[in-house]
Amino acid sequence: MVEDFLKKLNKCEFNLRQVKKQTKDRLISMAYDEIILDIKKDKRYLSALLAISYDKTSEIAWRAIHLAGKAIGQMAIDELVEARGQIQRLIWNATDESGTIPWTVPEIMGEAIRENPKPFEDIVPIIIGYSHSETEDNIFLAGVLYALGRIGEAHPQYISDYIGVIVKEGLLHRDPEVAANAVLAAKRLKMTDVDLGPVRQRTEIVKVYYDDKLMTLTLKQLVENG
């Protein structure tokens, strides 16, 4: 009986590796529609996307972030309970109790809302809430700015004056990744009342995902190339 259990376990692990490899290969070849179809047949393909999404220094990870959110957004059309369950799991992953490293939770939820906002209107305040921290070292802040910019670009009705305050504070943040994503958010939200002067003086190198490309450039170049 133990041997049968171990055989089934090993087979399951092998199948999961296959799912992840196939998903990664399709991300590389940009076969996004095929991945969406895979997810409709087997939710493990969504889990594979989430697993691939953690490394934000990789363009493949960013493709996974966008596609995972898009898949959850589309899922809500016919499988609302399942889609809401996926969002709840992301929220759980962002808690200390989960024991996971939730680097990309705000970005994925932001993409789901951008794709299909109505079923997730109550999630926007949760994303905003991740911008609050008792310390300046907030692992979510850059992702929050990215998500709010993406949501507001497509659905400006969800953008409040308070979000503008978060963006303006982000522009002055000492973390270059936070400042970079604040610049992107300001561009996407078409904010005209921001002072980009301080960011224009900064020469730290950052990686940003913009126009479906992962770019490496200085903060100064990010401001001037926009």
Side-chain angles (χ1 to χ4, degrees), residues 78-128:
D78 299 314
E79 300 178 81
L80 179 58
V81 173
E82 175 65 27
R84 294 280 304 182
Q86 293 291 340
I87 291 292
Q88 290 301 323
R89 279 189 278 277
L90 288 170
I91 293 171
W92 163 250
N93 286 342
T95 65
D96 293 336
E97 292 83 358
S98 73
T100 60
I101 302 175
W103 304 116
T104 57
V105 164
E107 291 97 328
I108 294 170
M109 293 199 299
E111 291 305 306
I113 296 166
R114 179 184 170 101
E115 178 69 18
N116 186 6
K118 278 292 182 183
F120 308 115
E121 288 180 323
D122 59 322
I123 305 302
V124 177
I126 293 175
I127 295 176
I128 294 171

Side-chain angles (χ1 to χ4, degrees), residues 18-70:
Q18 283 185 314
V19 166
K20 187 173 179 180
K21 182 182 184 305
Q22 179 177 304
T23 302
K24 189 170 184 179
D25 289 344
R26 286 183 169 169
L27 285 171
I28 291 170
S29 62
M30 295 190 233
Y32 304 141
D33 290 343
E34 292 180 24
I35 297 175
I36 294 291
L37 289 174
D38 289 336
I39 292 169
K40 288 179 179 179
K41 298 172 186 174
D42 188 339
K43 297 302 185 292
R44 291 183 303 171
Y45 286 93
L46 178 56
S47 297
L49 279 180
L50 297 175
I52 295 167
S53 73
Y54 291 141
D55 181 11
K56 289 195 282 187
T57 65
S58 161
E59 188 165 296
I60 296 302
W62 277 104
R63 293 179 188 177
I65 289 168
H66 278 223
L67 196 59
K70 181 176 182 177

Side-chain angles (χ1 to χ4, degrees), residues 145-192:
L145 288 162
Y146 184 88
L148 294 176
R150 290 280 293 172
I151 294 168
E153 182 180 40
H155 308 287
Q157 67 269 29
Y158 294 106
I159 300 306
S160 64
D161 291 341
Y162 181 63
I163 290 174
V165 172
I166 297 173
V167 173
K168 290 175 184 178
E169 290 178 349
L171 292 170
L172 302 174
H173 203 282
R174 63 179 176 83
D175 185 334
E177 184 184 0
V178 172
N181 280 280
V183 171
L184 294 184
K187 292 176 184 292
R188 287 181 169 130
L189 300 177
K190 296 180 172 59
M191 294 176 62
T192 58

